[in-house]
Amino acid sequence: MSVTPIDYLMSRRSVKFVRAPGPDDEQLAQILQAGMSAPDHGRLRPWRFALIRGAAIGRLADLATNAARSAGLPLTAEKEANTRRWLAQVPLLLGVACQLDHSNIKIPEHERMLATGAAVTQMLNAAHMLGFGAYWSTGLGTYLDEVIETLGFDGLDYRFMGYVAIGTPIQETAAPERPDHRQFVSEWAGI
Ligand SMILES: Cc1cc2nc3c(=O)[nH]c(=O)nc-3n(C[C@H](O)[C@H](O)[C@H](O)COP(=O)(O)O)c2cc1C
């Protein structure tokens, strides 16, 4: 039985453990371009993406680890080793930021963040449709000024929203159980 596009869409799941090859230039362009179809009030295009690849991923791990220690955050040697082991195999990280644009008082700030999140969802789906694994996380100094400023997103003009790791799944994972949508839906029929 063939898998329909809607079935395939619903089979998306996060895949944390990925390795090379990551997307080639054309596939990466498709993934990023899919983000451009996100709903976006006012066409503000608030999303920004930093490509972090190869040796730069190790440098980000150094930066985030040092920043976490300087900030006094609890970071055990075991947690650091696990993170480094994971990242050593990841071919591509996309840093995700939302440009806040304080001059725009017509469209609330949270709508810009929703548009950026929607762009990431588009990209997670595009990565899935191209056969890659992808995973959005907010570790690696996502909330530390030193890290996000080094990535080019100062905390005044941008809200940093984490990283999307993309690559070839290291192992096949079963699709997780999903809740029945009816749990979350009510019908409003007027007053
Ligand atoms: C904004 C955002 C940040 C996230 N940060 C983390 C994170 O730091 N660590 C983590 O384990 N999962 C994080 N997640 C959840 C995973 O990306 C993923 O959704 C979760 O593991 C469930 O897998 P699923 O997408 O297949 O349902 C985050 C999700 C979102 C939307």
Side-chain angles (χ1 to χ4, degrees), residues 118-138:
V120 174
T121 302
Q122 284 279 107
M123 290 158 57
L124 291 172
N125 283 326
H128 174 59
M129 291 180 134
L130 290 169
F132 292 104
Y135 166 67
W136 189 359
S137 65
T138 38

Side-chain angles (χ1 to χ4, degrees), residues 36-189:
M36 305 303 117
S37 302
D40 171 26
H41 190 179
R43 298 191 173 168
L44 299 177
R45 326 296 197 212
W47 43 72
R48 298 289 180 275
F49 304 105
L51 301 177
I52 306 162
R53 299 185 254 200
I57 293 180
R59 287 197 280 275
L60 173 66
D62 293 341
L63 174 69
T65 303
N66 292 336
R69 294 233 155 82
S70 305
L73 299 181
L75 178 64
T76 62
E78 189 191 0
K79 167 107 174 91
E80 180 182 344
N82 285 343
T83 302
R84 285 185 183 277
R85 228 187 334 270
W86 166 51
L87 289 174
Q89 303 230 62
V90 171
L92 168 67
L93 284 177
L94 298 179
V96 179
C98 174
Q99 190 182 39
L100 298 176
D101 184 6
H102 302 291
S103 67
N104 187 324
I105 50 168
K106 194 173 147 243
I107 295 169
E109 198 172 282
H110 70 265
E111 294 195 21
R112 275 163 262 207
M113 290 189 233
L114 289 167
T116 303
V120 174
T121 302
Q122 284 279 107
M123 290 158 57
L124 291 172
N125 283 326
H128 174 59
M129 291 180 134
L130 290 169
F132 292 104
Y135 166 67
W136 189 359
S137 65
T138 38
L140 285 173
T142 291
Y143 301 114
L144 297 174
D145 288 343
E146 188 184 336
V147 174
I148 60 187
E149 279 170 17
T150 307
L151 290 171
F153 302 113
D154 72 79
L156 280 182
D157 294 319
Y158 298 93
R159 182 67 54 86
F160 194 68
M161 305 179 101
Y163 304 88
V164 179
I166 306 177
T168 299
I170 288 177
Q171 60 185 48
E172 272 306 308
T173 50
E177 274 285 306
R178 298 300 188 186
D180 187 317
H181 68 277
R182 286 170 292 197
Q183 282 174 254
F184 309 96
V185 181
S186 58
E187 177 146 349
W188 186 82

